[in-house]
Amino acid sequence: MQSGDRRPTLADVATEAGVSVALVSIVMRGAPGAGAATRERVLEVARRLGYQPDSRARLLRSGRSRLLGVVFDVRHPFHHDLLTGLYDAAGEVGYELTLSAVTPRREEHTAVEGLLQDRCEALILFGGRMRTADLAGIAARLPVVALTRGVRHRDVDVVRTDDPLGSQQAVDHLVALGHHRIAHVDGGTLHGSAERRQGYHDAMRRHGLADLARVVPGGAGEEDGARAAAQLLADPPTAVTVFNDLCATGLLDVLRRDGLDVPGDISVVGYDDSSFSRLAHIDLTTIAQDVDAMTTHAITRAVDRIEGNPVSPREVVIAPRLVVRGTTGPLVTG
């Protein structure tokens, strides 16, 4: 390694190996034009100096970056699960991810602008609140894939879960356990909230329970679940479906602190199957979104757009599935 913090260069390797910079470039690119002995000497020197080829610079010189920009929200644990899947899927097709986060003090537009400056070849956005017109404007410049939200515009690709079906699965599970007084904690104006709320109403109506339907305002975070629990405690139902897992954990905490047994007194179903919901002290029954399928479709769709391959249909909708754990149980009577 060179002295100080300076990163070794092609010129350093060339000087140490006693060859030209052009010849070192040939060796590092694996191109023909260097003898076996010279190639081995150059590679040995590169290893000893700690030289690493700058593949990104080479790609940029060729007019390509092979970078996929991803906008995610640091406040949502399920987004972390999606990132894991995206890294796996991108690596399989020879692309890299560059991330830009939405935080309580950093807006989505700022996150997107940072990625556009990084010369990403496509953008993948998790949820978000950006208007359709704004997304369409970005899609006129490079491919855009909306993940976990619906967008009604022909130039924006969509990969999402069948949210109404997920809520229906939750209600069906609770009804099968004998519950009729089933409430729903919704996600307010967040993407997916209206669809999950509609699925809840559809299932309650299908089971002849429309008159018992009860929707309580909620949101995406634990504090939203805690507020919803405070409202539910005034007249507790026997079961509740919740907008997402994080909201459900806030609700569970308040219910248990108030002395209610879960699932003995009240059953709870979350949504997402976030990694933390599997922890023993949470053990949350939930609706699982298929992370592997969603992220693979998102990467495939982005790469197909970049490389000019045929893409159809514009929107991919993936079925969720019920995961039964310890927060739901049969209705206890008497």
Side-chain angles (χ1 to χ4, degrees):
M1 187 73 180
Q2 300 294 301
S3 61
D5 295 328
R6 187 171 69 83
R7 180 177 178 177
T9 66
L10 278 177
D12 295 326
V13 177
T15 298
E16 187 75 14
V19 299
S20 68
V21 171
L23 189 56
V24 173
S25 178
I26 286 172
V27 172
M28 301 314 297
R29 287 186 286 114
T38 299
R39 188 178 297 275
E40 181 57 34
R41 183 168 77 255
V42 168
L43 291 174
E44 189 279 327
V45 169
R47 284 192 293 270
R48 178 156 45 84
L49 295 180
Y51 172 76
Q52 293 291 331
D54 191 344
S55 57
R56 182 156 310 169
R58 186 169 67 247
L59 283 167
L60 288 174
R61 286 194 295 271
S62 72
R64 294 290 307 275
S65 70
R66 298 190 76 83
L67 282 177
L68 304 176
V70 180
V71 176
F72 71 104
D73 195 317
V74 297
R75 294 164 291 189
H76 298 329
F78 183 61
H79 286 191
H80 306 166
D81 297 339
L82 289 171
L83 284 174
T84 299
L86 283 181
Y87 270 112
D88 291 342
E92 290 179 2
V93 293
Y95 279 75
E96 294 184 19
L97 303 184
T98 183
L99 309 181
S100 191
V102 176
T103 76
R105 294 193 294 271
R106 189 172 191 253
E107 296 182 347
E108 189 176 13
H109 283 279
T110 303
V112 169
E113 282 301 318
L115 294 175
L116 295 176
Q117 293 173 12
D118 282 346
R119 296 186 63 179
C120 296
E121 296 192 53
L123 294 186
I124 300 173
L125 294 89
F126 296 176
R129 298 174 178 270
M130 191 172 288
R131 296 182 309 154
T132 297
D134 294 333
L135 291 174
I138 299 169
R141 302 167 58 184
L142 76 170
V144 173
V145 180
L147 186 58
T148 74
R149 65 169 284 189
V151 178
R152 295 182 179 179
H153 195 283
R154 65 181 183 277
D155 295 331
V156 179
D157 290 300
V158 170
V159 178
R160 63 176 179 85
T161 296
D162 188 338
D163 284 316
L165 176 60
S167 284
Q168 291 173 33
Q169 291 173 344
V171 172
D172 290 347
H173 168 63
L174 294 169
V175 171
L177 292 171
H179 297 279
H180 289 173
R181 295 179 60 240
I182 304 168
H184 176 69
V185 175
D186 79 358
T189 60
L190 294 170
H191 289 292
S193 179
E195 291 80 4
R196 295 176 194 182
R197 184 169 57 248
Q198 185 60 54
Y200 162 77
H201 280 299
D202 289 344
M204 292 292 282
R205 187 163 46 249
R206 174 161 46 82
H207 288 290
L209 304 174
D211 291 344
L212 296 177
R214 178 183 176 191
V215 175
V216 175
E222 290 178 277
E223 64 282 1
D224 300 306
R227 284 193 296 270
Q231 291 193 44
L232 289 172
L233 285 171
D235 181 20
T238 66
V240 58
T241 67
V242 189
F243 171 69
N244 70 8
D245 292 343
L246 194 58
C247 186
T249 60
L251 181 139
L252 284 170
D253 183 61
V254 172
L255 294 180
R256 286 167 171 160
R257 287 175 184 273
D258 202 66
L260 291 180
D261 178 69
V262 178
D265 294 318
I266 184 169
S267 287
V268 178
V269 182
Y271 203 113
D272 285 342
D273 193 27
S274 301
S275 53
F276 69 84
S277 68
R278 305 158 205 167
L279 297 174
H281 69 285
I282 297 177
D283 198 30
L284 179 66
T285 295
T286 185
I287 301 299
Q289 302 196 61
D290 191 333
V291 169
D292 289 341
M294 293 173 69
T295 53
T296 297
H297 276 293
I299 293 294
T300 300
R301 184 56 54 91
V303 171
D304 282 344
R305 291 289 189 191
I306 292 168
E307 300 183 356
N309 298 327
V311 173
S312 181
R314 181 187 68 84
E315 184 175 53
V316 177
V317 182
I318 299 169
R321 62 185 176 84
L322 174 73
V323 178
V324 179
R325 297 195 181 99
T327 58
T328 54
L331 176 67
V332 177
T333 58

